[in-house]
Amino acid sequence: LGQEVVPDSGCGSWLFEPQSTNLITQSELFSDSSWSKVNCIIGSETVSSPSGVIGVSSVTNTSIFGRLSTIQNVNSGISYTYSFWCKNIDITTPLSIYLNNSGISLDTFTPTSEWVRYQFTWTSSSTITETIAIQDRIGTALGSYMIWGAQLEEQSFSTSLINTSG
């Protein structure tokens, strides 16, 4: 009844993921003012994103303790999952995913030469405005990496990317 994958073929479609919302307002435009940049600059790379589209953002740490972050409202007792795609350019030391207002390091990762989707889940212990940061916590991570497809969902796992642009 109008829901076929191929019209008039009789083939339907299945939705295997639950409905979800990306709480980040700019999932691909990291130069936007909704993203805070400390000791880093955002550039543009003519590289294929994981979706095959040409054009992704690069992050270059210009000084020690570089940080790219987003500010989001979170509620106590709710699980959240933050995910993004990342690919190394020339950074050699690990980066951390850090909840600045809660003072919690979720995890540490080192970008690879391939696109990898990094996912980090936590349950908020209070209702606050949280700053979720990708940052150099050691103070030595000078260099650059590419980033694409950031997503924050109010659940304990990530779904397929929900693109947002405002």
Side-chain angles (χ1 to χ4, degrees), residues 30-42 58-71 91 95-96 98 100-101 131-137 139-143 145:
F30 296 93
S31 59
D32 185 77
S33 62
S34 63
W35 288 93
S36 173
K37 284 101 29 203
V38 175
N39 294 338
C40 69
I41 57 172
I42 304 300
S58 60
V59 179
T60 300
N61 288 341
T62 57
S63 182
I64 60 173
F65 301 112
R67 180 177 72 217
L68 174 67
S69 58
T70 181
I71 298 172
I91 206 157
L95 299 169
S96 292
Y98 195 75
N100 283 63
N101 299 347
T131 301
I132 307 163
I134 302 170
Q135 65 186 45
D136 167 21
R137 297 278 302 151
T140 59
L142 295 177
Y145 58 93

Side-chain angles (χ1 to χ4, degrees), residues 6-17:
V6 178
D8 300 320
S9 70
C11 297
S13 61
W14 293 93
L15 177 62
F16 291 105
E17 293 181 319

Side-chain angles (χ1 to χ4, degrees), residues 32-96:
D32 185 77
S33 62
S34 63
W35 288 93
S36 173
K37 284 101 29 203
V38 175
N39 294 338
C40 69
I41 57 172
I42 304 300
S44 180
E45 302 291 325
T46 54
V47 173
S48 291
S49 71
S51 71
V53 175
I54 301 292
V56 299
S57 293
S58 60
V59 179
T60 300
N61 288 341
T62 57
S63 182
I64 60 173
F65 301 112
R67 180 177 72 217
L68 174 67
S69 58
T70 181
I71 298 172
Q72 301 292 326
N73 294 321
V74 296
N75 296 308
S76 180
I78 303 294
S79 290
Y80 292 89
T81 299
Y82 178 54
S83 64
F84 55 88
W85 292 86
C86 189
K87 183 177 181 179
N88 194 7
I89 296 176
D90 63 3
I91 206 157
T92 58
T93 56
L95 299 169
S96 292

Side-chain angles (χ1 to χ4, degrees), residues 108-135:
T108 301
F109 71 99
T110 302
T112 69
S113 61
E114 300 296 324
W115 283 110
V116 174
R117 188 177 191 191
Y118 295 95
Q119 303 174 59
F120 307 92
T121 300
W122 80 97
T123 300
S124 181
S125 59
S126 58
T127 298
I128 60 172
T129 300
E130 185 63 80
T131 301
I132 307 163
I134 302 170
Q135 65 186 45

